[in-house]
Amino acid sequence: MRARTLVHGQAAPGPPERLIKGVVFAVLSAAVVIPFLTVFSTSVAPTEQISDAGGLVLFPRGLDLTAYEAIFSGGVVTRALAVSVFVTGVGTALSLFVSCLLAYAISRKHFVLGRPVLLVVLIGMLFSPGIIPVYLVVKQTGLLDSLWALIIPTMVSGFNVIVLRSFFQGIPDELTESATIDGASEWEIFSRIVMPLSKAVLAVIGLFYAVGYWNSFFSALLYIDDATKWPMQLVLRTYVVNDAAMGQADIGSERMPPQTSLQMAILVVSMVPILIIYPFLQRHFAKGVLTGAVKG
């Protein structure tokens, strides 16, 4: 029997092993891709085909954009999309800024309150204050029915702060010490040395924050009464959970598509921004996660 080819000192997998891996990979890929394809296909499928299929369609027989015309003509989805973009953009920027400042402070060895602040962050990860106390705080600070209520209460994540702290501690001390000798302030060290070296972990943490803000609907359900300030996910929940009659009345299109088509179209619109952003951050993702989580 001929010996297997060695790859990195180990025997290369044979044809049966490669076949099994290929089948498993194909099954997992199909499990991820088929739901997305079904959602998009149903949103553009003709009304008759949706009715014949009794709901979801995998391969549309034509292209019908009535659902997209309907949801964008009334302004409900457009307004909600603008709200979500604002909350996600501003919230992610503020969260990154505050989290980086906090993580950098507790990563510095000479910071006297480093351990007490770190203990507070860890306690915040383990124990949640609950819905009612947070609601009372939001109410007392005058944030009810304000878009800032969707940003400020969830601005800092303890987990993300710990990941950033671990990464900042991995930066060689020689860099910061030499900058201190040259007369650089802490802010200059933070902004000119630490931040440029942290692009990978910042991309990962920024993606975590952005996805959290974009997908959040429960905060809006608690704090926002004005329907004109609803984010995209709360509008989507209204169409999926409730009877779409109210949503269709708000849309006001002459020829209304089926409820299922409307739901799938709104779902597609809610997924597109994250799907567009992720490829630009994907190359930093694995590096940022490993660098922020492993010290050696």
Side-chain angles (χ1 to χ4, degrees):
M1 182 180 294
R2 187 173 55 184
R4 292 184 179 181
T5 304
L6 294 179
V7 179
H8 300 295
Q10 298 179 353
E17 297 175 0
R18 291 198 297 267
L19 178 62
I20 293 174
K21 290 181 180 179
V23 171
V24 172
F25 180 77
V27 171
L28 295 177
S29 300
V32 174
V33 173
I34 289 178
F36 286 98
L37 180 61
T38 302
V39 168
F40 177 75
S41 299
T42 305
S43 69
V44 298
T47 303
E48 297 78 10
Q49 186 178 6
I50 296 177
S51 301
D52 295 340
L56 300 178
V57 174
L58 182 58
F59 299 106
R61 291 195 293 263
L63 190 63
D64 188 353
L65 300 179
T66 306
Y68 292 95
E69 295 174 357
I71 62 177
F72 284 114
S73 64
V76 177
V77 175
T78 305
R79 185 169 57 243
L81 188 60
V83 170
S84 290
V85 169
F86 172 81
V87 171
T88 302
V90 175
T92 301
L94 291 177
S95 294
L96 271 178
F97 180 70
V98 175
S99 297
C100 287
L101 288 179
L102 178 58
Y104 177 73
I106 61 179
S107 69
R108 302 294 284 168
K109 297 178 181 178
H110 60 269
F111 182 47
V112 179
L113 299 178
R115 289 190 177 275
V117 174
L118 177 61
L119 182 61
V120 171
V121 173
L122 293 175
I123 292 175
M125 292 176 59
L126 298 176
F127 302 100
S128 173
I131 296 175
I132 295 178
V134 175
Y135 180 86
L136 293 177
V137 170
V138 171
K139 181 179 179 181
Q140 292 298 323
T141 52
L143 295 178
L144 282 182
D145 216 23
S146 169
L147 295 182
W148 293 108
L150 308 180
I151 299 175
I152 295 178
T154 57
M155 184 178 295
V156 178
S157 167
F159 172 79
N160 293 337
V161 171
I162 297 301
V163 173
L164 287 168
R165 173 180 176 271
S166 299
F167 183 87
F168 293 158
Q169 287 182 325
I171 296 178
D173 294 335
E174 290 78 5
L175 292 176
T176 57
E177 290 174 357
S178 61
T180 303
I181 294 174
D182 291 337
S185 63
E186 287 291 345
W187 174 254
E188 291 175 333
I189 294 174
F190 173 75
S191 60
R192 296 184 180 182
I193 297 178
V194 175
M195 286 295 98
L197 294 175
S198 307
K199 292 180 180 179
V201 72
L202 290 179
V204 174
I205 300 302
L207 183 62
F208 287 165
Y209 276 125
V211 172
Y213 280 117
W214 183 264
N215 289 334
S216 176
F217 76 92
F218 191 65
S219 297
L221 191 63
L222 288 177
Y223 309 133
I224 306 297
D225 295 326
D226 187 357
T228 61
K229 298 179 182 179
W230 282 2
M232 189 68 190
Q233 302 303 328
L234 189 54
V235 172
L236 175 61
R237 177 185 179 275
T238 302
Y239 278 90
V240 173
V241 176
N242 300 336
D243 186 2
M246 180 184 69
Q248 292 179 357
D250 291 337
I251 288 176
S253 178
E254 296 181 358
R255 185 170 72 91
M256 291 308 305
Q259 177 180 344
T260 303
S261 181
L262 280 174
Q263 293 172 348
M264 297 302 105
I266 296 177
L267 187 57
V268 169
V269 173
S270 68
M271 292 189 301
V272 165
I274 296 298
L275 293 177
I276 293 176
I277 293 174
Y278 181 78
F280 296 98
L281 302 179
Q282 189 270 341
R283 63 190 182 95
H284 299 291
F285 196 82
K287 179 181 177 182
V289 170
L290 293 177
T291 308
V294 179
K295 289 182 62 180

